[in-house]
Amino acid sequence: MPGVEAVVAVLRAVSTGEAPSRAAVSRHLGAARSTVGLTVDYLLDQQLLVERALHDGRRGRPIQALALGPKAPLGGLIEFGPYRTIVAVSDLSGAILARHSVRTALACGPQEAIDGAALAMDELMDRLASPGSRITQVVASIGAPVNVGAGSVARSNNRSRAVPFPSLGWEEYPAATYLSQVFGTPAVLENDVHLLAIGDAAGLERDRFPLIRLHASMGLGAGILTDQGDLVRGVSGLAGDVGHLVVDGSSERSCWCGKSGCLSNVASIYSIGKDLGLPFGSEAGSDLVQTLRELVATGDEAAIRRIRDAADVVGRLAAILVDVINPGRLVLSGELIHLSSDVLARVRTGVYERSLPLSSRHLQVTVSTKDADGALPGAAQLAASLMLAPSGIDRVLRGGRPPA
């Protein structure tokens, strides 16, 4: 049996598409063909890889192409949303193989939501009809600050009043631990905007890093990647929770977190709806966005003015992030950004007018076109990296058994 490091190297080379044949793997790794051949033969025997003849139209023997096999580990992806839960299955390349949506909302609580996700995942795996394949890593996302070390939604110790968001019942619940128990495999819980940023990095040119994903939705959040493409989580996993930054110290507007002047009190869909007297709750949130779109379309002056104010604040926030991080790319997303073209224009203007020219000279500002995919692409990339880590592959080679 080859060493774990050799197995990881070959699987990574094949799954990324960098080396689709034995000869290509040997060149890519700078290893002898005989050494690579032993590892490939073992992976073929374990059905972690398959080898098929590939006819490219040229004379001679067909190329023997390597691909992921029927028993290659799979990632189980879960997106816990306010109004539904989406489950998906991904492979070692980070490709999403299948997905399914169920009407299980955050407000039902973590245990019911996780149990429902597990049932939906079982159905999805049955549909894939790949005997012997199994999920070896779960990555779940949630739209709330996450203490990654504890595997739970973080709780604000300064809360001054009830929080209207459906993730309230998830605070300090050991969601990652329960996910691991239910699925029988390692699991991580991650903030959704962090995963959005990881998804943005796939295939991105090196000169576009560092990267910032700024998401303006019911709240405000940012995902930050370093110049090496690594996610900035912070000591407790809470990096990027920009909604509670205070830019205007003169504001007396109190936030549920206990502070005054938080940006989320001005520049979020929730705050806009609240100021306009529109309904909001666990069942009304999606209707709130549609109502705002209709008000903009009909030229409602109060709504347009309030949305412009929010856009200006997001622009100021983006300019601060650009000055602090000096990114190569800033990706904007969220329902607020898509309410009107005017919002996007004002945010862009805020970035370039308020940030230092040296900070924004090489900056590329883009708008996400993958909002419908949510956090799934990033979750798939994270799952692939965890499955291809030596500990993840060692667990697969041991048949899921923990090390002795």
Side-chain angles (χ1 to χ4, degrees):
M1 174 178 165
V4 172
E5 292 79 7
V7 171
V8 168
V10 171
L11 284 176
R12 183 174 284 124
V14 173
S15 63
T16 58
E18 295 174 313
S21 68
R22 292 179 187 239
V25 172
S26 179
R27 290 193 300 271
H28 180 73
L29 299 180
R33 287 198 181 193
S34 58
T35 303
V36 169
L38 290 173
T39 303
V40 169
D41 287 340
Y42 172 78
L43 294 174
L44 292 173
D45 182 63
Q46 298 296 311
Q47 299 184 58
L48 297 176
L49 290 180
V50 293
E51 195 170 34
R52 301 188 181 97
L54 179 64
H55 297 275
D56 60 359
R58 292 183 293 183
R59 289 185 176 184
R61 296 174 59 185
I63 299 172
Q64 296 297 311
L66 294 170
L68 295 175
K71 290 188 179 180
L74 299 174
L77 318 177
I78 309 172
E79 185 175 296
F80 293 114
Y83 323 110
R84 61 177 180 168
T85 298
I86 302 174
V87 298
V89 176
S90 62
D91 64 16
L92 288 178
S93 72
I96 296 174
L97 306 178
R99 71 182 74 193
H100 180 58
S101 176
V102 293
R103 291 186 61 82
T104 306
L106 278 176
C108 72
Q111 284 193 331
E112 184 176 337
I114 291 171
D115 290 343
L119 290 174
M121 193 74 76
D122 287 342
E123 295 175 5
L124 203 57
M125 289 293 289
D126 289 341
R127 293 215 306 258
L128 284 175
S130 181
S133 64
R134 61 190 182 86
I135 289 171
T136 63
Q137 178 68 55
V138 171
V139 175
S141 73
I142 189 168
V146 173
N147 185 330
V148 176
S152 62
V153 173
R155 184 184 189 279
S156 170
N157 293 324
N158 300 317
R159 184 179 301 148
S160 59
R161 60 176 182 268
V163 181
F165 301 117
S167 59
L168 174 63
W170 290 66
E171 292 184 342
E172 297 184 328
Y173 179 83
T177 299
Y178 188 59
L179 280 164
S180 184
Q181 292 172 354
V182 170
F183 284 89
T185 195
V188 297
L189 181 71
E190 184 58 270
N191 171 263
D192 58 348
V193 186
H194 284 185
L195 293 176
L196 291 176
I198 292 174
D200 291 332
L204 190 63
E205 304 88 347
R206 271 289 141 211
D207 62 352
R208 291 304 173 192
F209 290 94
L211 177 145
I212 300 173
R213 166 71 86 110
L214 181 56
H215 192 68
S217 181
M218 290 299 167
L220 283 175
I224 303 168
L225 302 183
T226 69
D227 53 358
Q228 299 301 313
D230 299 321
L231 177 67
V232 177
R233 285 193 173 92
V235 68
S236 300
L238 304 180
D241 189 16
V242 295
H244 296 287
L245 290 178
V246 177
V247 176
D248 181 7
S250 64
S251 174
E252 297 181 357
R253 195 167 185 177
S254 63
C255 177
W256 61 264
C257 75
K259 297 192 300 182
S260 297
C262 292
L263 294 181
S264 60
N265 268 344
V266 182
S268 66
I269 290 289
Y270 167 71
S271 67
I272 295 170
K274 182 180 177 182
D275 288 350
L276 295 175
L278 302 176
F280 176 81
S282 60
E283 298 299 326
S286 59
D287 295 335
L288 173 57
V289 176
Q290 182 58 35
T291 300
L292 289 173
R293 289 190 183 124
E294 292 171 357
L295 290 173
V296 170
T298 57
D300 186 282
E301 292 185 6
I304 291 173
R305 184 166 56 251
R306 181 61 184 81
I307 291 169
R308 284 177 175 171
D309 289 343
D312 291 341
V313 171
V314 173
R316 291 200 292 273
L317 168 61
I320 292 171
L321 293 174
V322 167
D323 279 342
V324 171
I325 306 298
N326 188 206
R329 174 174 286 189
L330 169 66
V331 184
L332 304 170
S333 63
E335 289 93 338
L336 175 59
I337 300 297
H338 294 291
L339 280 180
S340 70
S341 58
D342 185 42
V343 171
L344 177 59
R346 297 179 86 91
V347 173
R348 283 181 182 271
T349 298
V351 170
Y352 288 108
E353 286 188 351
R354 293 178 175 273
S355 63
L356 290 170
L358 284 175
S359 298
S360 59
R361 179 175 299 169
H362 302 292
L363 176 68
Q364 182 183 69
V365 180
T366 67
V367 180
S368 172
T369 58
K370 310 179 203 174
D371 281 1
D373 292 328
L376 292 180
Q381 294 296 322
L382 179 56
S385 69
L386 293 171
M387 290 188 291
L388 282 169
S391 59
I393 294 301
D394 182 62
R395 190 169 56 252
V396 171
L397 299 182
R398 294 174 181 273
R401 299 187 300 274

